[in-house]
Amino acid sequence: VPRIGGAGVMTGILAGAVHTPHGASAQELSQAVGEGRARADLDPELVDQDGFPLMSARVQLDAIELFKEELDAWRSSAGHADPRFTDEQWRALALGTMVAGELLMQATGHPQLLAGAEDGDKAAPLPVLRIQAVLASGWNEEQRTVAAAWLGGLSVRAGWPEKRLEVTSLATQASAVLARLANQAARPGEAVFTIVLSFGSQIGETAVEELAMQGALFAAANPQGLIPGEAAAGLLVAGAAQAAQFRLPATVVQLASMPRNAKDEGRKPDALELRQLAATLLPDAQGVDGVSAVLADTSHRSAGVLELMKFSGEVLPHLDAGQDVRSLGGACGHCGHGEQLPFLAALVLAHQHALDTAGAALCVGNEDPLQRT
């Protein structure tokens, strides 16, 4: 149901934003995926050890050098040491900046802020806007600090009061962050008004060399390898009280996840965990029938594709596998370990689907070998 307030539901999505190689908005990305255009292609710059072009999912970033100059000027004036971002991190941060900017436009539409009450009154105070950036483990502490400070500066320039702002950088899964927010919103007196943001890139010689050394790079001889990619995605998540302030539809978020044993990675895809998780969210036929789309983080690799198809065919047989079941892994490529970026992008598209159709979407996370969501 595209509104917040159902029994047991305490968090909802007020806004979503994405920037991927195949769309800079939920609408563009959804159309590209639906038309089968969201695929990797030969990269114009990256080559393998034999000099042949690699497959990649690259965003065209024409203004990356201007972005570097702007951020470096800000960093110097703010007194931060040079974090020595890699080329891949520069690209990721540029994408994250675009998505953060879109979500900040939504956040600064908070009625209390528009009313001019930065501190609000005691009855309805302006909430603390929390920005939680979920980054891959390869970002060191200094790089995370600069990235968080940059996002904080963007927020202040967008109009959010600095004293009502908290920015943190996390090395975890986006779904874990959303689960914590749901638990927080369930506690009396807790105000949830949070931007969950993730950005990553593997478009660069360093990342490609690391994947090649690990034997994990996609190639004709290694079709189950990873395709370098990049993307950014984010959600503005609110508890029931904050969502009510906006008087706008807030798409309900309900999560279920479970760890997966590493030894199960090579087993024949049976979708057992996904079926169990779906049963907790869709306990009856009415819930199953209400799902009109499946959005997954599944990539091109055969085990995940087979698992997704088996799951949707058995649990949601009323859906058209070609039209209603869509995977975003190929649209984003491999953006870095740990950030679960395609799953967050799937949630953005699910939010848009709920707004457009008043139906429910089921998001599937099966790309992480140690977790199902």
Side-chain angles (χ1 to χ4, degrees):
V1 180
R3 64 171 183 268
I4 198 166
V9 178
M10 301 299 293
T11 55
I13 301 170
L14 282 176
V18 291
H19 202 111
T20 75
H22 298 283
S25 69
Q27 293 89 342
E28 287 181 5
L29 179 58
S30 181
Q31 184 174 357
V33 173
E35 295 174 356
R37 295 186 284 106
R39 298 188 298 268
D41 203 349
L42 291 177
D43 194 272
E45 298 179 23
L46 299 176
V47 297
D48 63 17
Q49 294 177 330
D50 297 320
F52 293 107
L54 291 172
M55 297 293 288
S56 78
R58 174 191 287 266
V59 177
Q60 189 66 34
L61 292 175
D62 295 326
I64 186 68
E65 295 303 324
L66 291 176
F67 172 74
K68 290 180 181 180
E69 292 176 9
E70 180 186 359
L71 194 148
D72 267 335
W74 162 85
R75 177 188 58 75
S76 179
S77 64
H80 292 285
D82 186 354
R84 299 186 182 278
F85 289 133
T86 65
D87 290 343
E88 294 88 338
Q89 288 171 328
W90 276 116
R91 296 180 66 85
L93 192 50
L95 291 168
T97 297
M98 297 178 205
V99 167
E102 291 187 40
L103 294 174
L104 285 167
M105 287 180 60
Q106 300 292 328
T108 52
H110 196 290
Q112 288 294 111
L113 186 61
L114 295 178
E118 290 192 1
D119 294 324
D121 56 38
K122 292 182 179 180
L126 183 69
V128 174
L129 172 62
R130 294 179 173 87
I131 300 178
Q132 302 199 347
V134 183
L135 302 178
S137 57
W139 294 64
N140 64 39
E141 184 174 353
E142 190 172 47
Q143 291 164 343
R144 290 175 181 276
T145 297
V146 171
W150 168 252
L151 293 171
L154 287 177
S155 305
V156 173
R157 291 195 293 275
W160 195 268
E162 187 173 7
K163 57 188 174 182
R164 304 295 291 172
L165 177 68
E166 292 180 7
V167 186
T168 54
S169 173
L170 307 169
T172 184
Q173 298 283 11
S175 57
V177 175
L178 292 168
R180 286 201 296 269
L181 292 176
N183 291 333
Q184 179 185 337
R187 297 193 291 267
E190 289 279 0
V192 172
F193 193 61
T194 302
I195 290 175
V196 181
L197 178 68
S198 184
F199 45 89
S201 174
Q202 295 283 284
I203 301 297
E205 293 182 1
T206 301
V208 167
E209 288 176 3
E210 289 178 357
L211 289 174
M213 288 178 61
Q214 297 165 8
L217 184 63
F218 175 85
N222 187 23
Q224 301 303 310
L226 299 171
I227 296 176
E230 56 190 358
L235 301 170
L236 176 59
V237 180
Q242 294 305 317
Q245 293 261 346
F246 278 77
R247 301 182 184 277
L248 292 173
T251 306
V252 167
V253 180
Q254 293 177 294
L255 287 168
S257 62
M258 68 169 61
R260 197 167 187 260
N261 198 312
K263 68 181 182 182
D264 292 335
E265 186 176 0
R267 80 182 190 211
K268 183 178 179 181
D270 58 14
L272 174 62
E273 294 94 347
L274 293 180
R275 289 199 303 273
Q276 292 173 342
L277 293 172
T280 68
L281 297 177
L282 308 169
D284 53 37
Q286 183 177 358
V288 170
D289 292 342
V291 174
S292 51
V294 171
L295 297 159
D297 66 0
T298 314
S299 70
H300 65 285
R301 295 187 288 180
S302 59
V305 173
L306 291 172
E307 180 187 26
L308 177 63
M309 291 299 102
K310 186 174 180 63
F311 164 74
S312 59
E314 293 177 352
V315 177
L316 302 160
H318 62 285
L319 297 184
D320 184 315
Q323 292 295 320
D324 303 323
V325 182
R326 300 181 177 183
S327 302
L328 299 182
C332 301
H334 173 62
C335 304
H337 292 288
E339 84 291 344
Q340 208 178 12
L341 236 171
F343 183 75
L344 195 58
L347 283 167
V348 174
L349 264 60
H351 168 64
Q352 192 64 49
H353 175 83
L355 294 180
D356 291 343
T357 68
L362 190 66
C363 294
V364 172
N366 73 337
E367 191 65 11
D368 187 331
L370 300 180
Q371 180 172 305
R372 291 294 179 265
T373 305

